[in-house]
Amino acid sequence: MSNNPKELRYSKEHEWLSAAADGVSTVGITEHAANALGDVVYVDLPSVGDTVTAGETCGELESTKSVSELYAPVTGEVVEANQDVVDDPSLVNSAPFEGGWLFKVRVTDEPEDLMTADEYTEFSGS
């Protein structure tokens, strides 16, 4: 049974993206990715004003198991980073679709290959 919210879109790198409100979307990692990482202990996010490019690395998540790069699902300018996640990285595991979001981006370009929740569930097996 999938826990992937239907209103979000998903990347093949296991990031999720909210629908744009006033051109700004929220980005996080999926529950599938958070579970695969294990307990997240450190988060390095892009800074406000940074430009991120779809498919390129823009940060890092470190867990008790490994270090994983964070990929931007879209191109745009970062308008907010989630300081709560920096202060308490475990939010990525406990609430990946709520309080564990990572950053907000003013979207300037969106790739064609973002998936629906059903497509992501089939892709990830989650």
Side-chain angles (χ1 to χ4, degrees), residues 111-123:
E112 299 282 326
D113 64 349
L114 291 176
M115 296 175 273
T116 65
D118 290 340
E119 290 167 337
Y120 179 73
T121 298
E122 187 174 325
F123 170 77

Side-chain angles (χ1 to χ4, degrees), residues 52-65:
V52 295
T53 303
E56 294 188 7
T57 59
C58 63
E60 191 174 86
L61 300 167
E62 186 175 320
S63 73
T64 55
K65 290 182 180 179

Side-chain angles (χ1 to χ4, degrees), residues 20-32:
D22 296 328
V24 175
S25 290
T26 303
V27 174
I29 67 164
T30 65
E31 185 173 20
H32 174 82

Side-chain angles (χ1 to χ4, degrees), residues 11 17 24 26 34 42 45 110:
S11 75
L17 178 76
V24 175
T26 303
Y42 175 76
L45 300 176
E110 189 173 298

Side-chain angles (χ1 to χ4, degrees), residues 3 6 11 13 16 34 63-64 71 85-86 89 107-108 114 117 124 126:
N3 293 324
K6 299 280 188 204
S11 75
E13 289 80 24
W16 58 261
S63 73
T64 55
Y71 294 89
V85 165
V86 173
V107 179
T108 57
L114 291 176
S124 65
S126 64

